[in-house]
Amino acid sequence: MNARTKRAAWVALVAAPALALTGCSGSSGGDAGDGDGGEIELTFATSYNEDQPQHTCGVDIIKEQVESADVGLSVEVFPSSQLGGDADRIAAVASGDIDIDLQGASALGAVYEPISVLDAAYAFDGPDHLAAFAESEEGQQIFADFADASGVNVLGVWSAGARHFTSNAPVLEPADLEGQRMRFPGSPQFLLNAQALGAEATEVAYEELYLALQQGTVDGQENPITNIATLNLQEVQSDLSLSEHALNTNLIIMGEVWNELSEEQQTVLSDAVAQAVEEVTTCVADDEAATIEEWSSGDEWTVHDDVDVDAFREQAVSWFEENLEGDSLAAFEAIRATAE
């Protein structure tokens, strides 16, 4: 069984128990395939810009594959947070105002805390580890438990790239973070990541990050390469340290409209998501490699590829094992257990 077939099967495995659990939680969901299909236009929301690989190799692939199958489905895409911020869009998917959305695990943690652990520092060793966990029994159970808690189903998950540090000084080992005000996203999981890595976290909105760095409100920040490039942070920072300290996860989530689809439509959508998961992983990796190579050969950044990743990983994993509790700790341990 090739990777695409395995991931298509995984989508089907996740969707079915998730929908069964939603019925148990008191929502109006039914069994997969109960819908009679017909002509349905799906709204697909995302925070990414149209030129980012998560969009071009992910969202666009899903739209193209679904519509080309000619099974009565069309997809209208709303990029760049046109339909609201993360929290607003999660609520809109749950209420049925948005059909499909692309969300980070940390944002979904506001609904079901253990799922946010997918964004924990050094939880995953790389995109292949994420894919292996998603296909595991433990991974499927987390997504089913999320559906039970939220009434929202996870159709797939991909890595939107590893997160790295930028600053005006190298960050090569945990001690280099001492005294630096590092911007982290304001979600609980990212603030836990800061503690685990030994950083002093400062919350700044993504849209205000460039100005905060320019004015010296913060000394540095962490983001995947695609976001660093989109924000043009090389204009206000000098050093890029390739710490790879977390994967930026994206989960494709869908509400009760799934039950309105025919079995054929569900299969087409599941296959499209599986293809997008595969293509985004490759696309993001290629985009990252090309961007880092360009930056390494230019004079916009001093690129540091000699970060002591082992020291960061050992510190972060130990911190989470000591400080996480309950289902969140169980989720973290299950992720680490699937590492090769």
Side-chain angles (χ1 to χ4, degrees):
M1 184 181 292
N2 62 31
R4 184 176 300 173
T5 304
K6 285 177 67 180
R7 288 175 187 165
W10 169 73
V11 171
L13 283 169
V14 171
L19 288 163
L21 283 169
T22 359
C24 295
S25 66
S27 67
S28 59
D31 293 333
D34 276 359
D36 55 8
E39 296 292 329
I40 298 177
E41 181 180 75
L42 300 172
T43 57
F44 194 155
T46 169
S47 61
Y48 288 106
N49 300 330
E50 292 177 282
D51 59 349
Q52 290 183 278
Q54 296 88 338
H55 197 286
T56 58
C57 298
V59 176
D60 283 350
I61 291 295
I62 294 172
K63 175 179 171 65
E64 291 167 5
Q65 293 298 311
V66 165
E67 293 183 345
S68 66
D70 194 25
V71 292
L73 289 180
S74 60
V75 180
E76 185 175 6
V77 179
F78 295 88
S80 305
S81 299
Q82 291 178 22
L83 299 186
D86 288 345
D88 292 334
R89 298 199 319 274
I90 295 170
V93 172
S95 67
D97 293 329
I98 294 174
D99 298 319
I100 308 174
D101 194 17
L102 197 59
Q103 286 280 352
S106 55
L108 298 179
V111 179
Y112 178 65
E113 184 176 340
I115 201 169
S116 67
V117 173
L118 273 68
D119 275 341
Y122 294 109
F124 294 104
D125 292 346
D128 289 343
H129 183 191
L130 171 62
F133 179 73
E135 293 166 3
S136 71
E137 181 179 349
E138 293 81 6
Q140 291 173 30
Q141 188 60 53
I142 287 177
F143 300 136
D145 290 343
F146 169 75
D148 189 26
S150 66
V152 175
N153 313 294
V154 176
L155 297 186
V157 56
W158 63 54
S159 167
R163 301 179 76 92
H164 308 278
F165 288 113
T166 71
S167 61
N168 291 317
V171 179
L172 306 181
E173 58 185 35
D176 292 334
L177 290 172
E178 294 178 7
Q180 291 205 58
R181 296 163 299 172
M182 302 298 291
R183 180 268 178 182
F184 280 75
S187 72
Q189 183 57 59
F190 281 112
L191 297 179
L192 290 177
N193 286 355
Q195 293 183 57
L197 294 166
E200 178 185 339
T202 301
E203 295 181 44
V204 175
Y206 181 77
E207 296 77 13
E208 300 171 3
L209 179 53
Y210 182 99
L211 185 61
L213 291 167
Q214 186 179 52
Q215 295 181 341
T217 306
V218 291
D219 300 314
Q221 64 86 50
E222 53 87 61
N223 254 302
I225 294 296
T226 181
N227 289 6
I228 294 170
T230 298
L231 291 173
N232 294 312
L233 296 188
Q234 72 276 8
E235 297 174 356
V236 290
Q237 296 268 265
S238 62
D239 291 74
L240 169 65
S241 301
L242 301 178
S243 53
E244 300 180 322
H245 57 267
L247 289 188
N248 204 52
T249 58
N250 286 162
L251 294 92
I252 302 96
I253 61 173
M254 188 174 191
E256 290 301 313
V257 68
W258 172 269
N259 296 326
E260 299 175 17
L261 307 185
S262 68
E263 184 175 353
E264 181 183 30
Q265 290 170 333
Q266 290 177 349
T267 298
V268 165
L269 179 55
S270 296
D271 288 346
V273 169
Q275 180 172 344
V277 167
E278 183 177 354
E279 297 205 16
V280 165
T281 301
T282 301
C283 192
V284 168
D286 291 346
D287 183 75
E288 285 182 339
T291 302
I292 291 172
E293 182 178 359
E294 178 184 349
W295 285 344
S296 297
S297 61
D299 56 7
E300 293 181 313
W301 287 104
T302 300
V303 179
H304 303 279
D305 60 3
D306 55 343
V307 176
D308 191 346
V309 172
D310 289 339
F312 273 114
R313 179 183 290 111
E314 182 179 352
Q315 175 172 308
V317 170
S318 295
W319 191 92
F320 283 123
E321 289 175 344
E322 293 174 5
N323 289 277
L324 291 177
E325 298 177 345
D327 290 341
S328 294
L329 175 59
F332 184 80
E333 290 177 337
I335 291 170
R336 292 307 307 156
T338 57
E340 294 184 357

